[in-house]
Amino acid sequence: MSSPSSLLKQLGLTGAGSPLSGRHLLLILLAAGFLALTVFVVHPNEFRIQAFFSGSNCSRPNTNTDAAAFVAPPAKPPSSASPSHAAAAPAPVPGDDVRILIGIQTLPSKRERRDLLRTVYSLQLREHPSLAGRVDVRFVFCNVTSPDDAVFVALEIMLHGDIIVLDCAENMDNGKTYTFFSTAARAFADNPYDYVMKADDDTYLRLPALAASLGGASRVDAYYGLQMPCDRENFYPFPPFMSGMGYALSWDLVAWVASSDLARREQDGPEDMWTGRWFNLARKAKNRYDNAPRMYNYKGSSPDSCFRHGFVPDTIAVHMLKDDARWAETLAYFNATAGIPRAGELYHLPPLAGRP
């Protein structure tokens, strides 16, 4: 069994000024045991790391340290306002030239979800033409093994040109994230983006808000998203990482991942947690941006928590949109249909959000 000091070193929590005590070490060991129990016994196939935090009401810890300065936007309380009170998508910072690649992690067979997301994001780009050419959305999955899926994916590539097929076996926690970032670093080395973002296909991103927020962030050594864990009492000082709903890395960190022996060796495990672990061990990502409460999980009938609450007008991302009903509710709140043309007898629709 590893000694306490070696365990702390593996977790990236040692060094000058470390606040850890024996009590903290015990908490880490208990949390690690709970993780192993959840992954390998309770939910061996369906486990997502965010499920760790789905049962607690909590307050967000102060994460500012010398090694990682977390910058959060001004906090606004969760809103339960009706859809008519939702703000229109904000315009990006005037004159900003930030370039973002968004890789939406999905599966070859999920064509219907890709079609929905294409519609949602293409309409946002049409409404905000200054983002065209600066925000690129791509759908990312590993090798296509079904002959039927291969035909349909080939047609999508021919028509849309927005798919990245990684050279890996499809997986959740065995290196897909590492393969995505390292592939992006090589593929776009001649014309790099400022940020590369990994996002889930059940996350709704408001691209103008995202671009405006990233436009004011550092473009060096930057790690941007919703910081987890946000439960100080139960998981502090568990090493911090950004939620898998969607997080962005500055280009220098993307290039570092591609060249790092540490990231290559340590690619198997709870992937979003492991991304944070790479940076903690390597003393990277000193500019960290925690975007609570603007990035959060869909609330539904669940209680509020430090990562889940009702819609807020200045939202950047809403996660856990697992079905059409949740997508429809979210899109209605943010007035996604406000631009529908008036065409007399052609559109017999009920009243839509955003229309007088």
Side-chain angles (χ1 to χ4, degrees):
M1 180 175 178
S2 299
S3 68
S5 61
S6 64
L7 177 60
L8 293 176
K9 184 177 295 184
Q10 292 175 29
L11 289 172
L13 292 171
T14 57
S18 173
L20 292 179
S21 65
R23 180 174 178 272
H24 287 144
L25 176 58
L26 178 60
L27 288 173
I28 293 173
L29 294 174
L30 290 173
F34 179 68
L35 171 62
L37 175 66
T38 306
V39 173
F40 298 112
V41 179
V42 181
H43 298 293
N45 296 318
E46 293 81 15
F47 178 78
R48 299 287 291 178
I49 194 64
Q50 288 85 355
F52 250 124
F53 314 102
S54 61
S56 62
N57 291 327
C58 46
S59 60
R60 181 166 296 274
N62 179 0
T63 55
N64 289 328
T65 67
D66 291 339
F70 288 81
V71 180
K76 294 189 178 182
S79 170
S80 58
S82 65
S84 62
H85 294 160
V93 176
D96 188 64
D97 61 350
V98 63
R99 295 183 65 241
I100 310 164
L101 172 65
I102 301 172
I104 299 176
Q105 311 289 297
T106 186
L107 297 172
S109 60
K110 298 179 75 170
R111 292 181 294 278
E112 185 174 341
R113 177 59 56 84
R114 289 196 292 278
D115 285 342
L116 170 62
L117 293 177
R118 283 190 185 105
T119 300
V120 167
Y121 294 134
S122 64
L123 287 173
Q124 289 189 30
L125 293 175
R126 188 169 74 180
E127 183 179 356
H128 299 272
S130 66
L131 295 180
R134 297 200 290 117
V135 178
D136 292 331
V137 178
R138 299 289 182 265
F139 298 97
V140 180
F141 39 80
C142 290
N143 291 325
V144 181
T145 57
S146 162
D148 293 345
D149 285 340
V151 172
F152 298 135
V153 167
L155 292 175
E156 289 182 79
I157 292 172
M158 293 166 63
L159 179 60
H160 302 290
D162 60 359
I163 287 177
I164 297 174
V165 182
L166 303 173
D167 187 13
C168 56
E170 193 60 60
N171 68 88
M172 181 184 295
D173 292 322
N174 297 109
K176 185 175 181 179
T177 296
Y178 168 80
T179 304
F180 166 61
F181 283 123
S182 58
T183 298
R186 294 189 297 270
F188 302 104
D190 293 338
N191 187 25
Y193 292 86
D194 296 305
Y195 294 94
V196 177
M197 185 174 200
K198 173 196 170 184
D200 283 350
D201 66 3
D202 62 346
T203 296
Y204 171 58
L205 294 168
R206 300 179 73 217
L207 301 182
L210 174 66
S213 178
L214 282 172
S218 173
R219 300 188 190 181
V220 177
D221 210 23
Y223 185 23
Y224 173 105
L226 172 66
Q227 184 195 309
M228 301 298 278
C230 56
D231 183 349
R232 173 191 290 268
E233 180 178 351
N234 293 315
F235 286 93
Y236 180 81
F238 210 81
F241 63 97
M242 298 299 177
S243 165
M245 71 162 66
Y247 56 87
L249 308 182
S250 57
W251 182 259
D252 60 308
L253 288 184
V254 176
W256 176 83
V257 169
S259 63
S260 168
D261 288 338
L262 168 64
R264 178 180 51 79
R265 290 194 312 267
E266 302 289 337
Q267 59 181 283
D268 292 345
E271 294 207 353
D272 305 315
M273 181 186 290
W274 253 225
T275 302
R277 183 173 181 269
W278 298 337
F279 300 145
N280 295 335
L281 288 169
R283 305 297 187 214
K284 293 284 186 179
K286 292 183 174 60
N287 298 308
R288 303 195 182 195
Y289 298 88
D290 178 11
N291 287 277
R294 300 181 68 192
M295 300 177 73
Y296 52 92
N297 280 3
Y298 174 88
K299 174 176 166 54
S301 59
S302 301
D304 282 5
S305 73
C306 53
F307 63 93
R308 177 182 56 230
H309 54 74
F311 299 127
V312 294
D314 64 346
T315 290
I316 292 174
V318 184
H319 185 221
M320 298 296 286
L321 303 181
K322 297 294 187 182
D323 54 42
D324 287 348
R326 291 186 176 190
W327 274 100
E329 180 185 353
T330 303
L331 294 170
Y333 177 86
F334 291 107
N335 295 332
T337 60
I340 188 171
R342 300 181 184 277
E345 297 297 318
L346 294 181
Y347 304 127
H348 292 279
L349 292 171
L352 300 173
R355 302 300 293 178

